[in-house]
Amino acid sequence: MIAIGALLSICAASILGQSTFENNTNIDKQVNLSTIVNANRTLDVSIPALNKTVSLGDELLAKLENTVKNAEIGVKNDKNLQKSDPNSGYNTYEEDLAKLDPAKLNPVDESPDYASSVVLASDLLSLTSAIANVKEKTCREHGYKFLDGLLLNKRWALKMFDASAKSPQGLLFGSSYHLGNFDECVGIGEPGEGVTVEGRYCLATIKWSQSKESKKVRTGRGETLRWAVCVPSACDASAVAGFVGDVLAHTVGNTTAVEVTDRDCYTRRPITVTNLDIGYLAFLLFIVAIMLLTTFYEIYSMKWGNNKNTLTHDLIVSFSMINNVKKIISTKQNNGLGLECVTGIKALAMIFIIAGHACLFIGSGPVMDAEAWDRLIRQPANAFMLNNTLLVDTFLFLSAFLFCRLLLIELDKRRGKLNVIPILVFRYIRVTPAYAVVILFYMTWLPKIGEGPLWENKIMMEQERCTATWWANILYVNNYLKTDQLCMFQSWYLAVDTQMFFIAPIFIYSLWHWRRLGLIFAGIGTFVSLAIPAFITYKDRLDPTLLFYAKEFTDFVTNTYFREAYIKTHMKMTPYFMGLLTGYILHRIQTENYQFSNLLKTFGWITSVILGVVTTFSVSLFYQDWYQYSVIEAAAYISLHKFAWSIANGWLIIACATGNGGVLGKLLTWKFLVPLSRLTFCAYLVNGIVELYYVGQLRHPLHITFFTVMANAIAHISLTFFLAFILCILFESPLHGIEKLLLRMVARPVLSDNARKEESCQTSRSTSQSKLET
């Protein structure tokens, strides 16, 4: 338990001396046991047990015995003081210690050798004094019972001590997470007469004073230490914080601060189920039942049914598992616009986004070497993993591009007479149900599927946030309202995409109806989208982009840049406007059957490759130790790198769509990527569950290398797409099928990702595309 207090003093002393050690390459001062004895410190009351574990000389052993005798004399004097002065504060529990039969201290059935190897030289008298200062009566009584268990070598008490973190290892190496043994602690249960002691795992945060200069340093893990303490379940967070703080105050002074919240402590309890939990589970079972029934119906209809072309049949089959699995794993693309490459871009972008999320959660979680992450992010070769921001911008670009390209076709067919309202409504209906299902999972069963040292701190916090602000997510305004309680760290993207989706028809219609005026209008919008981020970055002296320093991302919501700038729509408009312009340009090219000259194709590819490489790897510049912040550079970079990346993406899509994609075109039309592209939306929704679960259940710090990070990232990618497959079968794919059926009735012809062009439009596709397909 908190017997670890004596060892905390070693830890804190090492921490406070960290800056001194960093400035001295040779550490020639060593602390030995004789120094402790000469300082007249009280050691274990059982000198023979100590001698079993540590080989002591006769002279040093005599000093230890004299020290213990002096401590006993002090205890007797204190007891006499207690008799003469009842208000002296000495607890009568020390008298009970003196009455214990020495023969009972090491009973044979509890393995005294094991006990001595666990407890070592713990100072039981100091521990007794510390427990006596605990204010809560029940916690104090359980603490005394724990002491009795230690003295009698009871296995449950030894486990409680053993589960706590011991003397720090690798502190100067940057190890700031000392997690003890979580499962050993929470598995403790000792029934007794009137008092039942259960293990409660608490992860205290120890902070120490730091200079103004050290506060400005963004690398490392900050001046904090996470320390595991196993205590009786009767002790609440404040009692644990008070005890650890009291121990540190008596050893290293009042220069440290200890924080322990209710979310930092965990006790194993039976699962409690609310009405919302039951309702959510019943809803899932209902959906599963429908899926099974419709699957059996489809099997029947395939063998004996004759009504396969009716609307009712199509509606029922849209929920069938067979039908939806076929749609997901199919490599066919019913697309006559030459946009097959978009599926490849979506799939690859999502793979790297998930890998980036995994790297960030791994790097900001418990690690053995805090500087390892800083070394990785400084290497330019790893810049592609740090550019998640550009990959998310790619999805905004693709969303705008597809919407513009398909809506322009519909406007051509209907001669400008198109009711956009059904399109917006059906888009909301298509996206929201699967999104709402995941949010409800956060609010109900997510905290109940696991446990771990950081489980309460990570998962319970997400549940509280989603319970408080789910309505902002459903209304797609969570990137502006209640951002300090953002539910699902990745959900801001859906808010930005939806807000721009509702604005986009104005620009698309102007491009179709008034070509020159529409281009001017879209150009002004693009210029404004470039100017706003640059102005805000210059005014507030913000970072040039989102920089992934580990200590700033232990919680996304606490990162000021992420909350106040990164997730805002007005900071993300550039790729969306560039997507609209790219969709319009491709529409004109394919409609007029424009052929690229060799010079133009060469210039386009050279420009695209240069811009893509520069924007991808230039971010590593801002992680270097020698880089000096410049507000002008930051303001220019925040806008221009998005603009350059959008140009690179625009040319890539146009080249592939017109049959000039070359090797990249073949890669992006690889059939293996087609099923993955259909799962990208669901993968984006469920990825947060995978990342939070990983950090919450982690028992031991991870040694960070490029290999370990990539191995974990691949595992996260696989798990994410597996969960996305399940979510897609149950919700997204059936709703997509229903949406198609309704759009056929309401807004014929269908406006979707798989829209076909009429025969008159087929000839507009460049003939070089057929060569590529051949």
Side-chain angles (χ1 to χ4, degrees):
M1 189 196 97
I2 23 202
I4 196 59
L7 299 172
L8 279 174
S9 62
I10 303 174
C11 167
S14 301
I15 295 169
L16 293 173
Q18 183 174 2
S19 60
T20 304
F21 289 143
E22 290 174 349
N23 296 328
N24 296 302
T25 56
N26 298 321
I27 302 176
D28 54 5
K29 294 183 179 181
Q30 299 180 355
V31 180
N32 52 45
L33 195 54
S34 61
T35 305
I36 300 176
V37 175
N38 292 332
N40 200 25
R41 299 277 182 100
T42 304
L43 295 177
D44 201 316
V45 294
S46 180
I47 299 300
L50 175 63
N51 198 25
K52 289 180 182 179
T53 307
V54 183
S55 179
L56 302 176
D58 294 337
E59 181 180 357
L60 186 55
L61 183 59
K63 289 183 179 181
L64 288 172
E65 292 175 344
N66 291 332
T67 302
V68 173
K69 290 180 180 179
N70 292 335
E72 292 175 349
I73 294 173
V75 172
K76 291 179 180 179
N77 292 336
D78 286 339
K79 289 194 290 183
N80 294 331
L81 176 62
Q82 166 68 11
K83 293 178 180 178
S84 61
D85 182 8
N87 298 323
S88 62
Y90 186 85
N91 194 286
T92 56
Y93 184 78
E94 280 78 354
E95 298 180 16
D96 298 333
L97 284 177
K99 297 177 182 179
L100 289 174
D101 186 358
K104 296 180 180 179
L105 290 179
N106 294 315
V108 177
D109 61 336
E110 290 291 351
S111 180
D113 291 334
Y114 171 79
S116 63
S117 67
V118 172
V119 178
L120 296 177
S122 303
D123 192 342
L124 295 179
L125 295 178
S126 298
L127 184 61
T128 302
S129 176
I131 291 178
N133 292 329
V134 176
K135 297 180 180 180
E136 291 79 1
K137 180 180 178 181
T138 306
C139 178
R140 187 168 60 251
E141 291 177 352
H142 283 215
Y144 289 148
K145 185 174 178 64
F146 160 72
L147 287 175
D148 284 337
L150 273 185
L151 291 169
L152 297 174
N153 288 335
K154 294 295 184 181
R155 187 59 60 97
W156 69 268
L158 296 172
K159 283 184 176 181
M160 188 168 287
F161 178 84
D162 186 46
S164 300
K166 302 301 185 295
S167 56
Q169 298 177 354
L171 194 64
L172 302 182
F173 189 60
S175 179
S176 58
Y177 281 85
H178 299 267
L179 302 179
N181 194 309
F182 174 84
D183 297 283
E184 183 180 26
C185 178
V186 298
I188 295 172
E190 175 61 18
E193 297 180 0
V195 179
T196 299
V197 179
E198 295 180 338
R200 181 178 177 86
Y201 181 93
C202 292
L203 196 60
T205 301
I206 302 173
K207 298 181 179 181
W208 59 94
S209 58
Q210 44 184 323
S211 63
K212 293 181 179 179
E213 293 299 324
S214 62
K215 290 181 179 179
K216 297 178 181 179
V217 177
R218 304 179 70 176
T219 55
R221 293 307 178 96
E223 307 298 324
T224 60
L225 179 71
R226 303 304 302 274
W227 192 272
V229 183
C230 187
V231 300
S233 58
C235 299
D236 60 11
S238 60
V240 177
F243 176 84
V244 177
D246 184 63
V247 171
L248 293 177
H250 284 84
T251 53
V252 297
N254 294 320
T255 57
T256 59
V258 179
E259 294 181 1
V260 183
T261 64
D262 291 333
R263 282 198 295 260
D264 294 321
C265 295
Y266 180 83
T267 306
R268 188 170 287 166
R269 289 285 183 267
I271 295 177
T272 58
V273 179
T274 65
N275 292 333
L276 183 61
D277 298 337
I278 297 174
Y280 180 74
L281 183 60
F283 172 71
L284 290 182
L285 293 176
F286 175 73
I287 295 298
V288 171
I290 291 178
M291 182 189 69
L292 293 176
L293 290 175
T294 54
T295 302
F296 292 143
Y297 169 81
E298 185 175 11
I299 294 173
Y300 173 82
S301 64
M302 285 190 297
K303 291 187 176 181
W304 302 287
N306 297 319
N307 55 344
K308 297 182 180 181
N309 296 322
T310 63
L311 180 63
T312 303
H313 172 81
D314 292 341
L315 183 61
I316 295 175
V317 170
S318 63
F319 288 93
S320 170
M321 182 171 62
I322 297 175
N323 177 65
N324 292 323
V325 170
K326 284 182 178 179
K327 287 195 299 184
I328 293 173
I329 66 175
S330 174
T331 59
K332 295 181 180 180
Q333 298 187 73
N334 298 325
N335 198 319
L337 303 177
L339 303 182
E340 293 86 352
C341 64
V342 173
T343 59
I345 296 174
K346 287 170 59 179
L348 293 176
M350 182 54 62
I351 289 173
F352 283 104
I353 286 174
I354 297 172
H357 287 169
C359 292
L360 186 56
F361 273 84
I362 292 169
S364 60
V367 297
M368 293 182 181
D369 180 9
E371 293 184 358
W373 175 255
D374 298 325
R375 290 194 296 270
L376 287 177
I377 63 178
R378 290 192 194 103
Q379 297 176 8
N382 299 329
F384 69 97
M385 298 305 301
L386 304 174
N387 254 324
N388 266 19
T389 58
L390 289 179
L391 296 173
V392 175
D393 288 344
T394 299
F395 272 91
L396 289 173
F397 178 93
L398 292 176
S399 177
F401 166 77
L402 290 172
F403 189 29
C404 180
R405 183 71 185 94
L406 299 174
L407 192 58
L408 286 173
I409 294 174
E410 295 299 314
L411 289 171
D412 281 344
K413 291 177 181 179
R414 299 173 181 273
R415 298 181 181 179
K417 297 180 180 180
L418 180 64
N419 187 2
V420 182
I421 302 299
I423 298 173
L424 301 179
V425 172
F426 280 115
R427 197 267 185 185
Y428 181 88
I429 293 174
R430 178 186 177 186
V431 172
T432 306
Y435 185 27
V437 166
V438 176
I439 294 175
L440 281 171
F441 182 72
Y442 273 72
M443 296 168 59
T444 55
W445 291 95
L446 177 60
K448 301 176 179 64
I449 63 175
E451 59 181 9
L454 294 170
W455 189 265
E456 296 282 317
N457 190 274
K458 295 291 184 181
I459 307 299
M460 292 301 295
M461 184 166 55
E462 284 293 320
Q463 184 189 43
E464 293 172 3
R465 288 172 178 171
C466 288
T467 303
T469 63
W470 61 269
W471 54 270
N473 289 61
I474 298 301
L475 294 176
Y476 298 97
V477 293
N478 53 308
N479 62 328
Y480 282 101
L481 300 179
K482 299 290 185 178
T483 56
D484 58 336
Q485 299 183 44
L486 182 66
C487 170
M488 297 174 58
F489 70 92
Q490 76 277 27
S491 62
W492 65 267
Y493 166 81
L494 294 176
V496 173
D497 190 24
T498 302
Q499 291 163 17
M500 293 302 298
F501 190 88
F502 277 74
I503 297 173
I506 301 174
F507 292 90
I508 297 173
Y509 184 80
S510 65
L511 287 170
W512 180 86
H513 194 269
W514 307 286
R515 289 187 176 181
R516 292 185 178 180
L517 185 61
L519 284 173
I520 295 174
F521 188 36
I524 293 174
T526 304
F527 176 79
V528 171
S529 72
L530 292 169
I532 291 178
F535 174 76
I536 293 176
T537 301
Y538 183 86
K539 179 177 69 71
D540 298 334
R541 300 186 63 84
L542 299 177
D543 286 337
T545 186
L546 191 65
L547 300 179
F548 294 142
Y549 288 107
K551 74 176 184 179
E552 297 178 1
F553 277 94
T554 52
D555 181 12
F556 275 77
V557 174
T558 59
N559 186 289
T560 304
Y561 184 90
F562 176 82
R563 186 180 65 252
E564 301 297 335
Y566 180 74
I567 65 176
K568 305 300 184 183
T569 302
H570 58 264
M571 301 288 285
K572 291 288 183 181
M573 295 189 297
T574 300
Y576 205 92
F577 277 108
M578 292 296 293
L580 294 178
L581 289 173
T582 303
Y584 173 75
I585 292 172
L586 182 61
H587 178 73
R588 293 290 303 276
I589 290 174
Q590 292 183 330
T591 302
E592 299 174 7
N593 198 20
Y594 180 80
Q595 299 292 324
F596 291 134
S597 64
N598 291 331
L599 178 62
L600 182 58
K601 287 186 287 187
T602 303
F603 175 79
W605 276 115
I606 292 176
T607 303
S608 177
V609 170
I610 292 175
L611 293 179
V613 171
V614 170
T615 52
T616 299
F617 293 96
S618 61
V619 69
S620 62
L621 169 70
F622 306 112
Y623 291 100
Q624 305 305 318
D625 292 332
W626 47 262
Y627 176 74
Q628 297 293 326
Y629 176 81
S630 170
V631 65
I632 296 178
E633 290 179 3
Y637 187 86
I638 187 64
S639 294
L640 295 181
H641 88 288
K642 296 177 183 293
F643 185 69
W645 181 253
S646 299
I647 293 175
N649 282 329
W651 169 256
L652 177 63
I653 293 175
I654 291 175
C656 292
T658 55
N660 299 300
V663 177
L664 277 178
K666 294 180 180 179
L667 172 64
L668 296 176
T669 55
W670 185 26
K671 291 184 177 181
F672 175 77
L673 298 176
V674 177
L676 294 180
S677 70
R678 297 192 178 103
L679 298 174
T680 53
F681 173 64
C682 290
Y684 200 73
L685 292 179
V686 301
N687 179 237
I689 298 174
V690 175
E691 305 305 336
L692 290 171
Y693 187 90
Y694 166 80
V695 177
Q697 61 80 41
L698 198 62
R699 263 50 170 187
H700 303 287
L702 180 71
H703 177 60
I704 287 188
T705 63
F706 181 83
F707 174 79
T708 57
V709 172
M710 287 299 100
N712 278 277
I714 292 172
H716 290 204
I717 293 169
S718 302
L719 286 172
T720 298
F721 275 102
F722 173 74
L723 294 179
F725 183 75
I726 297 175
L727 182 65
C728 189
I729 289 176
L730 291 175
F731 295 100
E732 190 197 17
S733 187
L735 290 172
H736 191 189
I738 295 174
E739 178 200 23
K740 280 188 173 183
L741 294 175
L742 294 177
L743 278 174
R744 288 175 188 172
M745 300 168 57
V746 176
R748 208 181 283 267
V750 180
L751 178 65
S752 69
D753 296 351
N754 298 322
R756 297 173 181 268
K757 295 180 66 176
E758 292 180 348
E759 291 297 326
S760 59
C761 297
Q762 290 286 353
T763 56
S764 65
R765 187 175 174 183
S766 176
T767 55
S768 57
Q769 177 65 23
S770 59
K771 296 180 182 179
L772 175 63
E773 293 173 347
T774 303

